[in-house]
Amino acid sequence: MRKPSGRLALREWPPEGFRFLPASLIPHPASLFRLSYAAVLKGALIARDLITLTPPIERALLVGAPRKGTAARHNLDEHLEELEQLVDTAGAVVVGTITQQIDRPNPATYLGKGKIEELGTLIDAKDASLIIFDDELTPAQGKNVEDATGKRVMDRAELILDIFATRARTSEAKLQVELAQLEYMLPRLTRMWTHLEKTRGGIGMRGPGETQLETDRRLVSHRIRQLKEKLADVTRAREIQRQGRRGVFRASLVGYTNAGKSSILRGLSGARDVFVEDRLFATLDPLTREVDLGENNRVLLTDTVGFIRKLPHHLVASFRATLEEVIDADLLLHVIDASHVGWEEQRRVVNTVLDELGVHDKPVLHAFNKIDRIPSETLIPLQERITNLLPNSVFVSAETESGLEPLRRALLAKTRALKPVSEIRLGASEGRLLAEIHRLGEVMEQRTDGAELVLRARIDEALAGRLRRAGAHVDDGKKGSSPVHSDGDGAANADHAVDIS
Ligand SMILES: Nc1nc2c(ncn2[C@@H]2O[C@H](COP(=O)(O)OP(=O)(O)OP(=O)(O)O)[C@@H](O)[C@H]2O)c(=O)[nH]1
Ligand SMILES: [Mg+2]
């Protein structure tokens, strides 16, 4: 079984000596020295300062309750382990787990009465402050479990939204997350108001409480409309940006969170500023870097947010502008963590999200990553099985020397497939065009024919279009290709081996 990732294995929490201090707040020894020095100067007690400044860490109880007869019940341990990783990423600590296979969710409390009582006992025993369900709760179920246990209840969707909210950096990501959170919150406003009603007393509060609830609904709906308008502007701006990039070969990394997408971008481009972390949702904002594939072939490679099982649909909907831009590439590079026991399910999840985004006819190259973690006696049969299933796959490691070479070669083949060998004729005085062909194309032969220069070179559609418009004669062997005016990337798909699964 895969060990929980993160800075600290959850079960090891709290570490000795830092009982209620999250790892991110543990000071570096050097800064401790500076702090103690300052503290001595002020005559203050440093330990007291640190403890009083630290917010309490949530102690979470996990609830996994798949339906009998569903596939999820077989993967219960793995799903809960993933939920633990999400909890860790959100900065809380898991203090216990409760599981049950259910025929169907109880409409009032999701779990049955007996299990809710068991949950109450466990909360007391573990001093838990938060309950997290792996499955989606209706607003009523969430409220009822909160009433029954007296503790805050979240479902997986809310937890993921929370992580996105803390990790969003750009204004666009913040807008998108806020929209998703408000959409999630709207049907749950009653539950939030009930809390206030309880603390302020019932009779006498009900009228104003309801009015306030209505006011809040209106305010939230108004903000949702505003955010949607702002995001529509973002979509338009992205569309313009996208047009500017037409003609350059673009590939996008997609895949399950933590599969190694950012590591691959870093490895291929050599860009050290790409953020890699053994946590879920390390990347939220798309990042594009140029990758030099050699022989005058380049690809603009974009990294983006990873997908996960039960990704809240509000989130997918509000991240649409970003994701559409990302997947509007010539090629999708689907990165799969081959060393993960659940890679097949993860691959299905990614395909489902891509379906949701309307991706049906994109060429996909599957990159099975982290093969350095698989012993060779397992790797060989796995490679055979995968190659039968998806012949268009490469097996890579972002961690080993030359581990990404098969992917680099596959990308080179893809870019070259987009650049047919063409015969180009231009006037001998066209020095600028000649330089452009040498800069962007792969020149195989060059000769003069009277007053003309004749070249045989691999060039892409965009360059071919520009040359034709400048008066050159370009023959790429396609019927009627000579006097064409298109410089779009529409031809990209035609030459690809389409491998959608
Ligand atoms: N052993 C091994 N570890 C890898 C490999 N590729 C990535 N990792 C590790 O896997 C973890 C996740 O890598 P990332 O590149 O951040 O994964 P990601 O797909 O970008 O993840 P998100 O941005 O969270 O969706 C990091 O700890 C990497 O060091 C690999 O080929 N082999
Ligand atoms: Mg990443």
Side-chain angles (χ1 to χ4, degrees):
M1 197 187 287
R2 200 161 162 264
K3 273 191 69 151
S5 59
R7 287 171 299 204
L8 286 168
L10 292 171
R11 304 257 183 241
E12 288 162 19
W13 187 267
E16 277 303 307
F18 284 101
R19 196 143 284 262
F20 292 110
L21 203 60
S24 58
L25 293 182
I26 296 173
H28 186 273
S31 58
L32 250 186
F33 172 75
R34 278 198 302 277
L35 269 173
S36 350
Y37 185 65
V40 168
L41 281 183
K42 286 185 190 162
L45 256 182
I46 182 172
R48 210 175 120 216
D49 279 348
L50 278 173
I51 299 292
T52 46
L53 284 174
T54 308
I57 290 195
E58 295 268 25
R59 296 169 60 80
L61 268 187
L62 307 188
V63 181
R67 282 168 172 235
K68 283 182 191 157
T70 58
R73 85 203 140 100
H74 299 300
N75 308 337
L76 184 56
D77 284 347
E78 198 190 313
H79 289 177
L80 285 177
E81 209 173 284
E82 185 178 270
L83 190 63
E84 270 198 26
Q85 282 181 289
L86 284 169
V87 172
D88 175 50
T89 304
V93 43
V94 174
V95 292
T97 300
I98 206 163
T99 57
Q100 185 183 28
Q101 290 199 8
I102 53 172
D103 285 323
R104 81 185 98 84
N106 180 321
T109 50
Y110 197 92
L111 299 173
K113 193 161 168 274
K115 214 63 184 173
I116 291 285
E117 280 166 13
E118 200 183 306
L119 190 60
T121 315
L122 197 63
I123 289 169
D124 291 342
K126 302 281 184 181
D127 190 22
S129 57
L130 177 68
I131 306 162
I132 303 179
F133 280 70
D134 192 43
D135 299 274
E136 193 177 336
L137 297 178
T138 62
Q141 286 166 337
K143 177 185 175 314
N144 292 336
V145 179
E146 282 193 351
D147 285 349
T149 59
K151 297 293 170 199
R152 197 154 71 90
V153 171
M154 287 175 109
D155 60 11
R156 190 184 163 91
E158 199 175 347
L159 181 64
I160 294 173
L161 285 170
D162 187 81
I163 295 173
F164 271 61
T166 54
R167 297 213 151 201
R169 291 286 167 268
T170 62
S171 56
E172 180 179 341
K174 284 180 187 162
L175 286 178
Q176 290 170 325
V177 175
E178 188 186 347
L179 176 62
Q181 277 186 315
L182 289 180
E183 301 240 31
Y184 178 89
M185 206 169 89
L186 196 56
R188 291 168 175 81
L189 280 177
T190 330
R191 170 168 140 206
M192 292 163 189
W193 270 101
T194 320
H195 282 295
L196 278 188
E197 217 175 83
K198 262 193 232 146
T199 52
R200 304 275 309 273
I203 299 174
M205 284 302 296
R206 278 176 289 196
E210 275 172 24
T211 318
Q212 188 60 47
L213 176 62
E214 285 311 311
T215 314
D216 278 8
R217 279 212 182 109
R218 248 197 323 279
L219 287 174
V220 170
S221 305
H222 177 67
R223 180 74 184 142
I224 287 178
R225 270 198 306 280
Q226 267 185 339
L227 288 168
K228 282 188 173 163
E229 279 164 22
K230 283 189 185 169
L231 283 170
D233 290 343
V234 170
T235 311
R236 276 190 291 275
R238 283 202 171 273
E239 175 58 30
I240 294 166
Q241 251 180 22
R242 208 179 312 181
Q243 280 167 5
R245 290 207 210 107
R246 289 261 146 88
V248 185
F249 180 54
R250 291 171 303 134
S252 286
L253 293 151
V254 292
Y256 209 78
T257 178
N258 216 41
K261 299 175 294 299
S262 304
S263 305
I264 288 181
L265 178 64
R266 185 152 84 167
L268 285 179
S269 67
R272 293 287 119 205
D273 60 336
V274 182
F275 181 61
V276 168
E277 195 188 18
D278 193 10
R279 291 217 148 176
L280 309 184
F281 302 116
T283 309
L284 274 204
D285 301 307
L287 180 72
T288 304
R289 288 288 172 267
E290 190 178 87
V291 176
D292 186 354
L293 299 167
E295 298 164 33
N296 249 348
N297 290 288
R298 274 169 290 272
V299 54
L300 280 183
L301 188 57
T302 302
D303 180 22
T304 190
V305 59
F307 302 155
I308 198 165
R309 216 165 45 84
K310 297 187 193 159
L311 195 59
H313 65 270
H314 293 315
L315 210 50
V316 179
S318 54
F319 268 71
R320 188 169 274 277
T322 313
L323 288 170
E324 267 178 5
E325 143 107 31
V326 169
I327 55 186
D328 181 38
D330 300 305
L331 174 74
L332 294 184
L333 214 65
H334 183 165
V335 181
I336 297 161
D337 177 354
S339 72
H340 195 287
V341 282
W343 70 262
E344 282 168 296
E345 190 194 3
Q346 295 190 345
R347 179 177 153 250
R348 272 196 302 276
V349 168
V350 172
N351 285 341
T352 308
V353 180
L354 289 176
D355 272 352
E356 219 174 303
L357 290 165
V359 180
H360 299 295
D361 53 356
K362 279 279 162 199
V364 180
L365 176 67
H366 293 89
F368 285 84
N369 189 32
K370 305 198 187 181
I371 56 166
D372 58 289
R373 293 172 59 161
I374 308 173
S376 56
E377 64 275 15
T378 321
L379 181 61
I380 292 161
L382 184 70
Q383 280 178 322
E384 268 172 25
R385 188 157 74 84
I386 291 172
T387 312
N388 282 334
L389 183 72
L390 302 162
N392 225 354
S393 303
V394 287
F395 300 88
V396 295
S397 164
E399 297 281 300
T400 57
E401 179 83 29
S402 324
L404 289 175
E405 277 317 299
L407 179 55
R408 194 183 285 276
R409 281 197 299 275
L411 283 173
L412 182 62
K414 294 279 178 197
T415 50
R416 295 184 90 189
L418 281 179
K419 293 176 166 184
V421 178
S422 302
E423 187 184 87
I424 309 158
R425 286 179 171 267
L426 65 162
S429 59
E430 297 281 8
R432 196 182 53 81
L433 290 185
L434 184 65
E436 192 168 358
I437 297 168
H438 276 276
R439 189 161 52 83
L440 299 174
E442 226 182 297
V443 178
M444 291 142 172
E445 194 187 312
Q446 181 175 329
R447 62 187 163 85
T448 46
D449 182 6
E452 279 186 333
L453 276 177
V454 184
L455 293 96
R456 255 174 34 88
R458 272 188 192 281
I459 56 168
D460 63 20
E461 278 277 321
L463 179 55
R466 282 200 299 279
L467 292 172
R468 282 180 191 129
R469 280 195 301 273
H473 184 278
V474 181
D475 184 358
D476 58 12
K478 288 184 201 156
K479 240 171 111 185
S481 67
S482 240
V484 177
H485 4 264
S486 139
D487 68 343
D489 52 359
N493 295 347
D495 283 332
H496 278 300
V498 177
D499 177 15
I500 306 268
S501 35

